Amino acid sequence: GETPSPEMVAAAGETTGLSRTLGISLLAFVLIGVITIAALAARNHIANRVTFDKSADVLEERAREILVAAGYPARGVDNARGVTMSGEYVGWLGGQDRSPGRWDVLSNAPAPVLRFWYRTSPRELMPAASSWMPTVNDPPLAVSGMASVVVDQQGRLLEFITMPPQLETDQGEAGAAPDWQPLFNAAGFTMSEFTSVPPRWTPRIYADHRTAWEGAMPGTPAARVRVEAAAYRGRPVVFQVVWPWTVPQRMEQARPSALMRTLAVGGAVLLVVMLAGAIALARTNIMSGRADASGASRVALFLIAVWVAAWALGARHSLAADSEADLFFSALAFSIANVGFTWLFYLGLEPFVRRFCPEMLIGWTRLLRAQYRDPLVGRDVLVGCAVGVLLVLLGALSPMIGAAMSGVPGPPRVSNAAYLLGAQHSVSSLLRVLPNALQIAMFGTFIYVVLLALVRRRAVAIGILAVLFGALVLAEGGGAERLWIILLFAALLVIPLLYAFIRYGLLALATSMAVNQALQLAPLTLDLTKPHALASSMTILLVGGLAAYAFHVSRAGGGLLRRFVPSA
C-alpha cells in the first residue's frame, strides 16, 4: 500500500537482459521486418506508385519558368517552396474503377497526386499561424506582387495566382484578355481541344476579366476538366485547373453530424477535467513528497530539446535577427506549452503508477537515471522495436489480404510529403515522432493505472484497455467491407501491443509507438532512384541501428559470439 521511491523502483527487478536466442530472434525479426515493409510499400504506398522523376529543385525551376511565361519575375524579395501529397484523385479514382488493376494508372497519372508550390513576395514571407514555415496559403496572398504557382509531380501547372497592384495605374487596358496559350501549354493541355464556357469559380483576388473552358480529362475522356482564368488590365492573375473531384474550399461545407459534435464537445470537456485533475494531483504529490520532480524535469527538458532541434532543422529561418528571434521564441513557446501537459500529467499520475504497478517503470526509471547500458533498458527497447515493426507489418499485409478476399485492392497509403524535401526535413519529421510517441505511451499507462485503481482487478483493467485500443483500430478500418476481418486485424494488433506493455512496461510501449510512427510516416522504398530514397534509408537504418544497439545492451556484454570465443 505504500508508494516506492523512483530510486527504489530503479534498483528493483531483474539485472539480466534477454537470452541470446530470444535476443537474436527479435533482432532478426526487426531487420527482416523493416526490409519486408519497404518491399511491400512498392505497391502499398502512393509515393512508390507514382512516377517522381523530378526533384524539388527541378520543380522549383519549372515554377519560375511559368512565372516568366506569364509576364512576372521569377524571384521576389523572398521566396518559399513546399510540397503536399493529395489523396483526392485516389479517392475519386477508387469510386470510378473497381477493377483489380485500378491503381496501375497511377504510374502515369495525368492528374495530380503530388502538389509542389512555389511562392514569391516583395516582402518577407512570415507565416501568420504557428507553423514553422510558409505554406501555400500562409501568409495570405495579401500583398501586391505576391505570386503563387502550384505544379504536379511532372511539373504541369495546376494553379497560378498573383496579387494585382493596390493602386491602379494607366498601364494596360481594363477588361482586356491576355494570351492564355503559354499557361495552357504549362498545364499540359491543348487549348484547341477546350471549349469556352461561362466562368463559375470566382477568383480570390480582384480581376477585371474572367473566362473559362472545359475539355476532356487526359487519360479519362469520359470525365471533364475545367480551366478557370482571370486577368487584370490584360495580364493573367489567376489560372486554375478544376478537376472533377475539386472541392470549393472557401464555401461552407457539410456540417458534422450530431454524434461528431457531441464527441468533440465531450473530448474538450474531458481534456479540461483531466488537466484540472492533473494540476490538483501534481500539487498534492509535490507537497507530500511523492512526485518524481527530478524525473519529470528530465522528461520535460528532453522533449523541449527535441522540439527545438526539430524546429532548427525543419523550420524556415530568417537572416533578419528580429524575425529569427520571433520565430525561435514562438517555436519555444509552442514546445513548452506542448511539453507542459506531459510534465503536469507526469507529476500528477506517475506516483500512482509506482504504487499500483511499479514493475512497469523499472526500465523507464533506469533510463531516466542515465543507465543507458543497463540490460533491462536494452531488453525493453528491443522488445518495443519488434512490436512496432510487427504493427506496421500487419498494417502493410492487411490491404493485401483484403484484396485477395474481395478482388479489389485498397487505396495506396498517403504519408508525410515533407520527406521529399531533403535530409534536414526528414530528420525534423523523425524527431517530432519522439514527443508524440512518448505522450501516447504515458497517456496509455496512466489510463491503465486509473482503471486499475477503480476496478482493483488487473484482468478487468486489461480487458477494458484492450477494448479501448480495439475501438481505435476499428475506427481506422471502419470502411472495410468485412467486419470480421477488421475484428481479426484489431485483435492481431492489440494482443502483442498489450502483452509488451503489461509484461515490459512504459519504455517498451513508448519505443513501439515511436518505431510504428516512424515507419508509418516515412515513404519507405528499396529503389534508390526514388527522390525519397534518402529519407527511406535514414528511417530503415535508424530503426535497425536502434534494435542492434538495444540487443547489444541487453546482452550485458555477453556479445553475439561470446560462446564461440574461448575465455582467457
Side-chain angles (χ1 to χ4, degrees):
E2 296 182 0
T3 303
S5 66
E7 292 74 19
M8 186 179 296
V9 171
E14 306 170 33
T15 57
T16 58
L18 295 170
S19 65
R20 179 182 288 104
T21 302
L22 181 56
I24 293 176
S25 300
L26 290 175
L27 178 60
F29 174 78
V30 171
L31 299 179
I32 296 173
V34 171
I35 299 300
T36 303
I37 292 168
L40 292 175
R43 297 189 61 83
N44 291 344
H45 202 288
I46 196 170
N48 298 319
R49 284 278 197 171
V50 177
T51 302
F52 294 142
D53 54 2
K54 291 179 172 59
S55 67
D57 292 336
V58 172
L59 293 177
E60 181 178 339
E61 184 60 32
R62 175 60 177 156
R64 291 175 182 163
E65 292 173 355
I66 293 173
L67 281 171
V68 173
Y72 294 93
R75 297 175 182 269
V77 173
D78 196 10
N79 311 287
R81 71 181 189 180
V83 62
T84 59
M85 199 82 74
S86 173
E88 295 175 350
Y89 172 58
V90 174
W92 178 84
L93 184 63
Q96 301 293 313
D97 187 358
R98 300 291 294 175
S99 66
R102 58 179 174 167
W103 307 122
D104 294 341
V105 70
L106 290 175
S107 60
N108 191 26
V113 174
L114 178 141
R115 295 173 61 90
F116 177 90
W117 57 266
Y118 174 73
R119 294 186 59 179
T120 67
S121 173
R123 301 178 188 174
E124 190 173 16
L125 288 166
M126 293 289 291
S130 60
S131 55
W132 290 354
M133 59 187 301
T135 68
V136 69
N137 295 316
D138 185 20
L141 202 74
V143 177
S144 297
M146 276 188 173
S148 172
V149 178
V150 183
V151 299
D152 69 0
Q153 64 274 5
Q154 297 300 324
R156 294 169 293 211
L157 177 61
L158 301 176
E159 183 183 55
F160 163 84
I161 184 169
T162 185
M163 193 70 175
Q166 182 179 5
L167 181 64
E168 288 193 344
T169 64
D170 295 332
Q171 296 179 355
E173 179 185 352
D179 180 13
W180 297 109
Q181 186 66 53
L183 294 181
F184 262 88
N185 294 339
F189 296 150
T190 302
M191 192 171 181
S192 60
E193 297 178 355
F194 280 70
T195 304
S196 181
V197 295
R200 297 180 59 193
W201 292 65
T202 58
R204 51 180 167 149
I205 52 94
Y206 176 75
D208 56 25
H209 172 80
R210 294 176 58 200
T211 185
W213 302 265
E214 274 192 2
M217 177 177 163
T220 313
R224 306 292 289 176
V225 63
R226 187 179 184 92
V227 174
E228 293 272 351
Y232 173 76
R233 291 192 175 270
R235 302 182 70 189
V237 291
V238 173
F239 187 92
Q240 180 186 8
V241 179
V242 182
W243 304 95
W245 55 85
T246 303
V247 177
Q249 298 288 349
R250 301 199 309 273
M251 296 180 65
E252 183 178 358
Q253 305 300 318
R255 299 184 63 185
S257 63
L259 176 60
M260 295 303 296
R261 292 198 298 270
T262 302
L263 291 176
V265 173
V269 172
L270 179 61
L271 179 62
V272 172
V273 171
M274 291 182 62
L275 180 59
I279 293 174
L281 289 173
R283 179 178 181 275
T284 302
N285 290 332
I286 291 174
M287 294 183 65
S288 64
R290 289 193 297 265
D292 183 11
S294 174
S297 299
R298 290 191 182 99
V299 172
L301 290 175
F302 169 76
L303 293 180
I304 290 175
V306 169
W307 275 114
V308 171
W311 169 81
L313 291 171
R316 187 170 179 270
H317 302 285
S318 174
L319 293 177
D322 55 344
S323 298
E324 182 66 11
D326 289 341
L327 292 172
F328 172 76
F329 286 112
S330 175
L332 184 61
F334 171 80
S335 65
I336 291 175
N338 181 279
V339 173
F341 285 97
T342 306
W343 180 76
L344 275 175
F345 281 111
Y346 196 92
L347 289 176
L349 294 174
E350 187 270 345
F352 293 94
V353 183
R354 273 188 280 125
R355 177 176 181 179
F356 289 100
C357 41
E359 68 281 356
M360 301 181 71
L361 292 179
I362 296 175
W364 168 258
T365 308
R366 293 181 183 179
L367 179 64
L368 275 186
R369 275 142 184 80
Q371 300 178 28
Y372 307 118
R373 300 184 62 84
D374 187 273
L376 217 61
V377 172
R379 180 201 69 178
D380 292 353
V381 171
L382 182 57
V383 170
C385 288
V387 173
V389 169
L390 176 61
L391 297 181
V392 181
L393 189 59
L394 289 172
L397 291 173
S398 177
M400 300 178 61
I401 297 173
M405 302 190 67
S406 64
V408 180
R413 189 167 55 85
V414 178
S415 67
N416 189 352
Y419 287 91
L420 301 174
L421 291 176
Q424 66 183 62
H425 292 281
S426 301
V427 175
S428 176
S429 297
L430 288 172
L431 284 173
R432 278 177 276 178
V433 163
L434 294 176
N436 190 41
L438 185 55
Q439 288 164 351
I440 292 175
M442 287 184 176
F443 189 67
T445 304
F446 296 153
I447 288 180
Y448 171 68
V449 172
V450 170
L451 290 173
L452 196 60
L454 292 176
V455 300
R456 299 287 180 173
R457 295 183 62 181
R458 188 177 296 268
V460 177
I462 294 174
I464 296 175
L465 197 62
V467 171
L468 293 176
F469 281 7
L472 294 176
V473 177
L474 292 176
E476 289 291 329
E481 297 178 356
R482 289 177 171 83
L483 180 60
W484 70 270
I485 294 181
I486 306 176
L487 293 174
L488 177 61
F489 178 62
L492 291 175
L493 286 177
V494 169
I495 290 174
L497 186 63
L498 267 183
Y499 174 78
F501 172 53
I502 301 300
R503 171 66 178 83
Y504 297 101
L506 172 61
L507 182 56
L509 180 61
T511 305
S512 65
M513 291 291 99
V515 170
N516 174 64
Q517 291 184 29
L519 295 177
Q520 291 274 17
L521 290 176
L524 300 184
T525 181
L526 297 179
D527 185 355
L528 298 181
T529 64
K530 296 286 186 180
H532 52 280
L534 177 60
S536 173
S537 301
M538 288 173 53
T539 306
I540 292 173
L541 291 175
L542 179 64
V543 174
L546 178 64
Y549 179 76
F551 167 77
H552 173 72
V553 172
S554 71
R555 292 293 302 135
L560 180 61
L561 304 175
R562 178 63 60 87
R563 65 181 298 180
F564 302 108
V565 179
S567 57

